[in-house]
Amino acid sequence: MLRGPPPRALALWAMQVILEAIEEATRELESEPEGPARAGAHRVLGQARELWAGLDSGERHALSGPASELRALLDAELGASGSPPPPEQLLRRVGLEAFRPGQREAVQAALDGRDSLVVMPTGGGKSLCYQLPALAGNGLVVVVSPLIALMTDQLERLAQMGVRASMLASGMQEGHNQQALQDVRTGATQLVLTAPERFASRALHEALTQRRVSLFVVDEAHCVAEWGHDFRPDYLRLGDAIAALGRPPVMAATATATPRVAREIAERLGLRDWVSVRSGFDRPNLSFDVLKLEGKGAVARKRSVLAHILSEQQSRPAIVYCGTRKDTEEVARLISQRGIATVSYHAGMAPEDRRASQEAFMTGDAEVVVATNAFGMGVDKSDVRTVAHWALPTSLEAYYQEAGRAGRDGRPARALLLAARMDLGRLIGFITARETSVQDVSAYVTGLARRAQDGVLQCARPDQEEERVLLSIAERSGALELQSGSAGTIQVKLSGNIDIGAAAEAIRVAKNRGWESYKAIERFMSDGEQCRRRQILDHFGDSEDGGPTGRCCDVCDPDPALEQAMLAAPVKQRRGGSAGASAQPTAPPGEPIDEEQFEKLRAWRWQRAQGKPAYTVAANAVLEEVLRRRPQSIETLMEVRGIGPGLCEKHGESLLQALSEL
């Protein structure tokens, strides 16, 4: 391929040669529908599309000869004027009929060569915004993604859509990355998925300069925001990588960007005159429950509530997020003992064990996965019905991203946060542990220098957050440069100097943002007066009204079954027991009830539920207590344990009528 805009005469000649080569390859395909001939046709077709996009209408008409039919085909795909097809045409090519909110605007911005910042909720369809431009055939789409699992999943989807895609990442089979780079150079690839650290590789840069990059996509773009909930130092170099490619159009895509983080993303990536696409953060099919657990017995009440929720078949499949590896293992045992197929997932497990857990959950062999935040990004399971947080996440952004993995199929789903005050101490500990000083950074750099040879050190990529923070501050202060090494390692080049002022500023920013995140999640946990959905939307700067399609949250529409499950928690733990693997919830004592009358109340509940789960009206224990106390007014009904204002408003009069007829 030629570099830079080719002279017109040379472009015409090259176009003619390529068209004739495609025609010859097409004839070969008639006798050999699979194999090298097809791959060759794909390569030259990619080159033809790029050259074709650079010609004006007069030059296209000058092309003549036996390739006229193919020229007409290219005209149909690219438009007679050389402009790409409209977004709707690209959408139909992948078998879809309508765009989701914001998708068309994002695709059009890419086709128009505009920079864009695309903020859509988890499951909102961000990936389609850059997959469709790849089908337009106007050049190569480069997609930067943080996780191999995420890229692997997308590679499979792209193949199903008919997009010729390649993937570059560490840990691949021998020869894989070399072939991917060759496909990029020759035009056989329309879209390349790559990890951010690959941009330290000269080989990738050289391969990309052989092509016209029509769109540079930074997926999970919140990773570029320093000290955000999922900051990745490798993302800081993407601005330079974009500039080195001649500033192609850039699309930054994320699900969790507050207005401040969005501004930081735009600044770090150098977005110019960018199109802002925000489809709204509301997830109407999700209900949000925050249960505040205080004092003695809080852990037992956590277990009781979680066991109650997951015992309902309609609450599974489910993801349970824990704050520590120890809790992950213990909670997984607790759920397994109740006869529910459960697996655990955390960074302390062997890679093959993590893969086995993920596979079991994705295929349905396991109904529940109990995990740290190491699980989730890149895992697209649409039918998750519940995401429960056993412990407070580190930020509201992290919480919403994880909660948003429920209900991607659009059906009702629940986000449950079991909020104990003790978790706040754990978060404070995290923030304190992240705090560092200029002296700490200097000592860290000195330690690296001792291990280096001639100022260069090859080492494993750090998996501890504390070391990643130190490495990032050291890079920001000019003490070192990072490059991608072989087999997943990194190469550290030490400069011998450190900008003390830059290091101090980075440390100050880290401390302030850590405390801001803490305050946001603490307010969300503590504020039982304002709608949970409204709190989330306000945090992300979304002023639109929330539109729940079912239950909204514990503030607007309390679930009495959750309250009843808390009350059913055991007061004592068995002596010598673990954090609760042996503890079983016990029902509160009560007088016997008339089973026939109880069945009539269950029938009443089924009618009132109108196809929704029965617990959305009242739990069995609540109905039993109603039969024992026989309330005759709304006031006395409110005195029944487990009944709140929400139930009385919706079902109170109907329940009193049903009782009077027993």
Side-chain angles (χ1 to χ4, degrees):
M1 280 290 294
L2 299 168
R3 300 188 185 187
R8 289 299 177 187
L10 188 57
L12 285 168
W13 172 80
M15 190 69 186
Q16 184 70 54
V17 170
I18 291 173
L19 290 174
E20 291 173 355
I22 293 175
E23 185 182 43
E24 181 177 352
T26 302
R27 287 197 298 269
E28 293 179 5
L29 282 173
E30 294 177 357
S31 59
E32 186 183 354
E34 300 293 340
R38 180 177 293 277
H42 284 167
R43 283 195 295 273
V44 292
L45 180 58
Q47 293 172 318
R49 283 172 168 163
E50 292 188 28
L51 283 171
W52 187 261
L55 303 180
D56 60 35
S57 58
E59 289 163 336
R60 288 179 181 156
H61 285 300
L63 291 173
S64 59
S68 59
E69 291 185 6
L70 184 57
R71 186 171 69 244
L73 174 63
L74 290 174
D75 268 331
E77 284 206 21
L78 299 175
S81 64
S83 61
E88 287 77 11
Q89 183 176 334
L90 296 173
L91 188 69
R92 288 193 293 271
R93 285 176 60 180
V94 298
L96 299 175
E97 295 297 328
F99 284 110
R100 295 183 186 179
Q103 286 181 324
R104 190 193 187 285
E105 293 84 351
V107 172
Q108 189 64 62
L111 298 177
D112 292 341
R114 298 277 305 278
D115 287 353
S116 61
L117 176 58
V118 179
V119 183
M120 293 181 176
T122 301
K126 294 184 300 296
S127 58
L128 193 73
C129 298
Y130 52 79
Q131 291 167 346
L132 292 187
L135 286 173
N138 281 347
L140 177 68
V141 173
V142 178
V143 180
V144 182
S145 190
L147 290 180
I148 292 177
L150 187 65
M151 290 189 283
T152 301
D153 181 66
Q154 288 210 27
L155 196 66
E156 296 176 359
R157 292 173 181 267
L158 287 162
Q160 295 169 0
M161 294 171 62
V163 178
R164 301 191 310 280
S166 300
M167 172 179 161
L168 286 161
S170 59
M172 307 302 291
Q173 293 183 351
E174 184 177 356
H176 172 94
N177 286 340
Q178 290 84 346
Q179 182 60 53
L181 288 171
Q182 178 67 9
D183 290 342
V184 169
R185 285 189 290 265
T186 61
T189 289
Q190 295 171 294
L191 183 150
V192 60
L193 295 153
T194 182
E197 62 267 18
R198 306 300 300 184
F199 286 91
S201 165
R202 182 176 300 175
L204 176 59
H205 175 74
E206 291 179 348
L208 293 177
T209 58
Q210 302 293 311
R211 299 286 300 279
R212 174 181 172 270
V213 177
S214 60
L215 183 64
F216 192 103
V217 180
V218 182
D219 199 8
E220 306 294 341
H222 57 272
C223 295
V224 83
E226 196 162 7
W227 318 118
H229 74 275
D230 203 11
F231 169 63
R232 307 294 176 92
D234 288 321
Y235 268 68
L236 291 180
R237 290 187 293 277
L238 294 181
D240 293 336
I242 292 166
L245 293 172
R247 281 291 320 166
V250 177
M251 176 186 291
T254 179
T256 52
T258 63
R260 185 190 65 190
V261 170
R263 290 191 297 270
E264 185 174 348
I265 291 171
E267 179 183 348
R268 293 198 182 279
L269 296 180
L271 302 187
R272 301 176 299 186
D273 188 27
W274 44 285
V275 177
S276 177
V277 180
R278 297 175 71 90
S279 65
F281 280 88
D282 191 19
R283 291 289 306 281
N285 62 313
L286 292 190
S287 62
F288 299 93
D289 286 295
V290 178
L291 294 187
K292 290 183 288 186
L293 301 141
E294 311 278 351
K296 186 177 180 180
V299 175
R301 292 195 295 276
K302 271 191 179 186
R303 296 191 196 101
S304 181
V305 171
L306 186 63
H308 167 77
I309 290 295
L310 297 184
S311 66
E312 299 280 352
Q313 180 62 50
Q314 61 266 29
S315 296
R316 308 192 298 264
I319 303 172
V320 180
Y321 281 108
C322 294
T324 66
R325 298 174 184 179
K326 180 182 177 182
D327 279 350
T328 298
E329 298 289 350
E330 291 181 349
V331 173
R333 283 196 296 270
L334 171 70
I335 300 170
S336 295
Q337 288 175 348
R338 298 176 183 276
I340 302 171
T342 306
V343 293
S344 56
Y345 186 107
H346 57 73
M349 297 167 59
E352 58 271 21
D353 293 335
R354 292 200 302 271
R355 285 194 294 270
S357 290
Q358 179 171 324
E359 180 67 17
F361 183 65
M362 296 298 290
T363 59
D365 290 340
E367 290 188 281
V368 178
V369 58
V370 184
T372 61
N373 59 8
F375 179 84
M377 187 180 288
V379 177
D380 189 5
K381 185 174 174 64
S382 65
D383 62 343
V384 174
R385 302 268 63 85
T386 301
V387 170
H389 281 82
W390 178 261
L392 279 175
T394 56
S395 69
L396 199 52
E397 291 95 325
Y399 166 75
Y400 199 47
Q401 184 179 57
E402 291 162 1
R405 292 177 182 132
R408 291 190 179 187
D409 55 5
R411 295 178 54 230
R414 182 199 293 265
L416 173 65
L417 176 59
L418 301 171
R421 301 293 301 182
M422 68 184 73
D423 292 332
L424 295 177
R426 179 179 58 88
L427 296 187
I428 292 172
F430 284 164
I431 297 171
T432 304
R434 286 186 70 174
E435 289 182 3
T436 186
S437 66
V438 173
Q439 290 75 19
D440 293 331
V441 178
S442 298
Y444 177 70
V445 172
T446 300
L448 294 177
R450 291 196 191 102
R451 297 158 52 196
Q453 294 183 354
D454 298 325
V456 178
L457 174 67
Q458 194 92 1
C459 60
R461 190 172 300 277
D463 59 357
Q464 296 298 317
E465 184 176 15
E466 182 180 1
E467 186 174 1
R468 288 200 300 268
V469 170
L470 286 169
L471 198 62
S472 173
I473 294 173
E475 184 181 33
R476 301 284 291 170
S477 64
L480 53 85
E481 292 183 3
L482 299 178
Q483 292 186 354
S484 179
S486 59
T489 63
I490 56 173
Q491 187 179 79
V492 181
K493 292 186 177 181
L494 295 145
S495 69
N497 299 306
I498 182 170
D499 186 331
I500 300 299
E505 176 61 16
I507 292 168
R508 185 190 66 81
V509 170
K511 181 177 180 179
N512 289 346
R513 293 191 177 177
W515 284 112
E516 287 174 9
S517 294
Y518 168 84
K519 290 175 183 176
I521 195 67
E522 194 274 338
R523 282 194 302 268
F524 183 70
M525 180 194 87
S526 303
D527 187 353
E529 301 297 324
Q530 185 183 24
C531 169
R532 305 291 181 187
R533 189 181 305 273
R534 184 69 265 158
Q535 291 182 56
I536 292 170
L537 297 180
D538 287 345
H539 181 77
F540 288 105
D542 187 346
S543 60
E544 295 294 323
D545 292 334
T549 54
R551 271 192 71 240
C552 180
C553 67
D554 61 288
V555 175
C556 300
D557 191 8
D559 182 353
L562 294 182
E563 180 70 20
Q564 188 66 29
M566 285 209 303
L567 294 173
V571 176
K572 295 182 179 180
Q573 302 296 325
R574 293 182 184 177
R575 182 173 299 177
S578 67
S582 62
Q584 300 289 333
T586 57
E591 297 177 359
I593 59 170
D594 187 305
E595 288 297 325
E596 182 178 350
Q597 292 182 351
F598 178 69
E599 287 303 318
K600 289 182 178 179
L601 279 191
R602 289 186 63 189
W604 166 86
R605 180 180 62 180
W606 179 82
Q607 292 178 338
R608 300 296 295 184
Q610 295 182 337
K612 295 179 181 178
Y615 69 79
T616 62
V617 177
N620 286 348
V622 174
L623 297 184
E624 291 172 358
E625 193 65 12
V626 165
L627 282 173
R628 294 187 185 105
R629 301 190 61 162
R630 299 281 179 163
Q632 297 183 6
S633 67
I634 293 295
E635 289 74 18
T636 54
L637 184 62
M638 283 283 290
E639 295 174 2
V640 176
R641 181 174 296 178
I643 288 184
L647 186 148
C648 287
E649 181 180 352
K650 289 185 177 180
H651 310 295
E653 294 295 338
S654 176
L655 178 54
L656 293 174
Q657 179 64 31
L659 275 173
S660 68
E661 295 173 357
L662 293 179

